[in-house]
Every structure is written in structure tokens, then in C-alpha cells.
Amino acid sequence: MTNRFLDLCVPGVANLKPYIPGKPVSELERELAISDTIKLASNENPLGPPRSAKAVIHGQLDDLALYPDGSGFALSRALAEKHNVLPACITLGNGSNDVLDMIGRTFLGPGKEAIFSEYAFAVYPIVTQAVGATAQVARARDYGHDLEAMLELVNDSTRVIFIANPNNPTGTWLAKNNLQGFLSEVPRNIIVVIDEAYIEYVQEDQYPDASQWLSDFDNLIVTRTFSKAYGLAALRVGYCLSHPDVANLLNRVRQPFNVNSLAQAAALAALDDEQHIRMSVENNVQGLTLYETAFREMGLDWIPSVGNFITVNLGRNASEIDRAMLTRGVITRPVANYGMPDHLRITVGLPKENERCIGTLKEVLAS
Ligand SMILES: *Cc1c(COP(=O)(O)O)cnc(C)c1O
């Protein structure tokens, strides 16, 4: 049935394909009448939230009737200190998704273009199209970003380039010299967004923290999140680092109280909890190795990943395999919506969860 209001909405929205999140565990268990389900579908931290963050949330409960600090004063200051920038360089978001949306609303619109890569994060096309801008999609190379192909798409209408490093859902990454070279070739009137949602997990020497280039490139925006390694996805808090003039514009479209008080307090506490990050990274390194070993043994190709997930080529329709795994209580993520119908993305879980996922995958592939 066609939507009666389709003709009334703005053209970008009419053609928009919404982001489809993984099903919550509770809903799936109800639907399939199963229990003891594990979720390895949304790149969440299997260790859970840091204890430090849980503790400070309790202290906020008596103030729930009050609006949160709209400027995020304490959190912004702490983040500025961590990154050695001025607080005026920070823009807080209701998740980094919110920041990506603000970037779209600030710099994109009808007649303007955004460049991103094939297989890049699904939110980039959404924030581009929602404001009526045009997406220019660069062909990937070995599932990773091809920076030369991206540069070739630059024209007078280009306003924003989105790069996820590492990328989701492929886990691929760009080395320091390549990314720095790219930044120096992009005209300075184009905003380059480097999305570092998974930076804490990366163990490569040549992997760059792009925030080191903020003073060299005033058109650079670096986005970060507390949803992944920091284990606070439910609270929705992320941020970006940029030149203060860019942050000033982003903050004009930011909703006044976009980051709630529980999220601000928890993020502030989590920021100091280096041990939680260390344990999360350790678990992840072991988990990635476990999956790689299993895939090799099973004769499956996978995309080498530096994130907290790994995407494997099943050589057949992955959605069917995913469905069969669901009935056995293992939730993973088929990525057909990214143009990868034979690939399955698996989030690294706890050792027991990884073992169970691999066992279930073997079982389903054999049946
Ligand atoms: C998960 C993810 C994010 C983070 O989203 P939040 O809104 O901060 O939860 C951002 N970028 C990429 C590439 C991601 O995979």
C-alpha cells in the first residue's frame, strides 16, 4: 500500500530507506519462544558498561525532574582535556549518530553532494538524503575505502566526505600516511568527517588517531562514541572534535538538551576507566583470533578486521543462515543492505559466546 502522505514529504525523505536495527533480544525470544539467546549483532561491548559509570548514574536519579546541562560543561571540558583541544572544539551528540546528522543539516542540502564509500556505514546515506543532498558513492577496493576513487568524485558541489576508520561493516582501516595524504589533497572548503567509532579497539602501528591533524586541517571533523568500547550504547552519547568555527555552526542546529544527564555523568566516569577499555580490548583481540582460526578451518573467507566484529563470506545467502542461527538463539548481522548478501557480520562476544556462535554456524552450514 502506498503511503498517503508520500507526496507531501520532502523529496529526500520520500526515497529514504530507514536504518533497520537488529531485533532486541527480548522480542526475538518472545517471537521464537526461546531463551538463553546471545546477541552478537550490534557491536556492543560484551563486558557491559564500566562499573564506574553505573555507580554515578544512581547519583543522578534525584535530579531527573531537571533538564540536563545543555552545554555539557563538565563532559566537554574533560573531553577537551583528553584530546588536548579547547572545549570550543567539542560538539556533544545523542550518540555520534546525532553528530553525523548535525553535520548533514549544517553543511548539506539540495544541490550539494556528500561522498562516501561503497560498504560504508549506513548512517551516511541517511543523513545525506534526509536533507535532500546527493550521495556520491565511491567504489571500494578489497572492501575498504579507495581514497583515490573518493577524490575523483570531488566537484564544486561537494560539501562533505564521510570516512569511517575503521569502517563498519567491513572492519577495514586506513593507514596514517594514506589518510594524511588524502586530507592534504581535499580542497579546504570541503568538510572531511573521520568517524572513529572503533578507535579504542585498533591495534595497528600505522593506524592514525585523526584528531592529531585538527590543527593542520580546519575542515576536519573527528567523531567518537561511548557506544562501542566504552559500553554505553543505551545511553546514547557521542561527540565530535573540530575547529571551533565548525563546532559553532554544529551547535546552532544541535537540540538544546540532546545529551541527557545520566549519559553525561556516565560518560564522564567512563572516560577515566582505562581498565575497562584495556579489558575490552584484550577480550576483543582473543575473540578475533578465535574467529579467524575457526573460519580458516572451515574454509571460509573473511575480511580482516581491526574492529570489535568480523565479517565473513559464507559463499551463500547469509540471511538464510542468519535465520537458522536465530532459531538456535544466536543473533548475528546479515549485511545484504550493504550490498553484501553472502556476508555475515559477527560482533566479538565473550569467549563462551564466541565458541557457541562458531559451533552454531558450523551446525547450520552443515545442515
Ligand atoms: C556504531 C557506529 C557509530 C556509533 O553510533 P552511536 O550513535 O554513537 O551509537 C558510528 N559510526 C560507526 C561507523 C559505527 O559503526
Side-chain angles (χ1 to χ4, degrees):
M1 216 175 5
T2 56
N3 185 324
R4 188 169 90 73
F5 300 97
L6 199 59
D7 293 340
L8 299 178
C9 74
V10 294
V13 173
N15 299 316
L16 205 57
K17 286 202 204 82
Y19 182 89
I20 302 178
K23 270 190 192 167
V25 171
S26 55
E27 190 185 331
L28 192 86
E29 292 190 338
R30 209 163 44 238
E31 235 178 70
L32 299 174
I34 55 175
S35 58
D36 193 28
T37 299
I38 57 170
K39 186 180 179 212
L40 303 174
S42 303
N43 303 343
E44 293 141 336
N45 188 336
L47 268 52
R51 212 180 333 208
S52 50
K54 284 200 275 192
V56 295
I57 285 178
H58 284 283
Q60 296 294 319
L61 297 182
D62 286 338
D63 288 333
L64 284 183
L66 305 180
Y67 279 100
D69 174 1
S71 72
F73 181 77
L75 181 57
S76 294
R77 267 228 323 224
L79 289 169
E81 201 169 306
K82 171 189 159 99
H83 293 288
N84 199 19
V85 297
L86 296 169
C89 299
I90 309 280
T91 306
L92 296 179
N94 190 262
S96 54
N97 204 322
D98 188 27
V99 174
L100 295 169
D101 189 64
M102 286 184 235
I103 293 167
R105 284 187 291 134
T106 303
F107 293 105
L108 293 170
K112 306 192 191 314
E113 298 184 359
I115 297 172
F116 47 85
S117 174
E118 184 182 22
Y119 313 131
F121 187 42
V123 166
Y124 310 153
I126 294 176
V127 302
T128 300
Q129 224 181 299
V131 294
T134 303
Q136 295 285 1
V137 183
R139 294 303 293 264
R141 191 193 293 164
D142 294 333
Y143 295 105
H145 288 60
D146 180 340
L147 294 177
E148 278 160 33
M150 295 183 83
L151 266 183
E152 277 169 22
L153 294 176
V154 169
N155 63 41
D156 290 345
S157 304
T158 310
R159 291 294 180 276
V160 180
I161 301 176
F162 292 104
I163 292 176
N165 194 34
N167 184 47
N168 170 22
T170 59
T172 51
W173 61 285
L174 294 161
K176 180 175 176 169
N177 55 346
N178 294 340
L179 199 49
Q180 193 173 18
F182 177 82
L183 282 166
S184 56
E185 292 201 39
V186 172
R188 298 305 159 90
N189 58 352
I190 296 173
I191 298 290
V192 180
V193 181
I194 312 273
D195 178 344
E196 296 185 333
Y198 300 95
I199 186 170
E200 295 85 4
Y201 286 111
V202 185
Q203 301 295 303
E204 303 285 340
D205 287 344
Q206 294 307 306
Y207 173 84
D209 168 353
S211 69
Q212 68 187 291
W213 298 317
L214 284 165
S215 50
D216 302 325
F217 302 104
D218 60 2
N219 56 327
L220 172 64
I221 302 180
V222 179
T223 66
R224 297 284 189 99
T225 183
F226 285 92
S227 299
K228 303 288 157 60
Y230 283 98
L232 297 175
L235 288 177
R236 315 301 304 124
V237 50
Y239 61 98
C240 72
L241 303 157
S242 69
H243 189 279
D245 289 351
V246 170
N248 175 284
L249 296 175
L250 295 178
N251 276 292
R252 293 183 196 190
V253 303
R254 185 176 65 82
Q255 305 217 358
F257 304 104
N258 63 333
V259 183
N260 70 73
S261 52
L262 309 189
Q264 289 187 33
L268 190 58
L271 206 52
D272 283 333
D273 200 335
E274 281 166 22
Q275 200 199 348
H276 192 75
I277 296 287
R278 220 172 18 246
M279 280 163 42
S280 305
V281 171
E282 226 164 84
N283 178 73
N284 193 59
V285 169
Q286 285 180 24
L288 282 176
T289 307
L290 189 77
Y291 281 107
E292 288 169 358
T293 308
F295 295 154
R296 195 175 294 118
E297 207 182 280
M298 296 162 76
L300 296 174
D301 286 333
W302 70 92
I303 305 170
S305 171
V306 297
N308 66 338
F309 56 88
I310 188 159
T311 299
V312 59
N313 187 347
L314 302 178
R316 54 202 265 202
N317 188 290
S319 295
E320 287 167 18
I321 304 295
D322 172 64
R323 261 195 302 275
M325 289 179 65
L326 284 181
T327 63
R328 291 163 169 80
V330 178
I331 314 178
T332 56
R333 189 78 142 118
V335 284
N337 58 319
Y338 285 94
M340 302 166 73
D342 291 354
H343 282 82
L344 192 65
R345 192 192 69 194
I346 301 170
T347 302
V348 174
L350 298 172
K352 262 170 75 172
E353 296 174 323
N354 299 329
E355 298 280 4
R356 179 170 160 200
C357 177
I358 290 165
T360 305
L361 181 61
K362 282 182 181 165
E363 206 178 286
V364 166
L365 286 174
S367 67

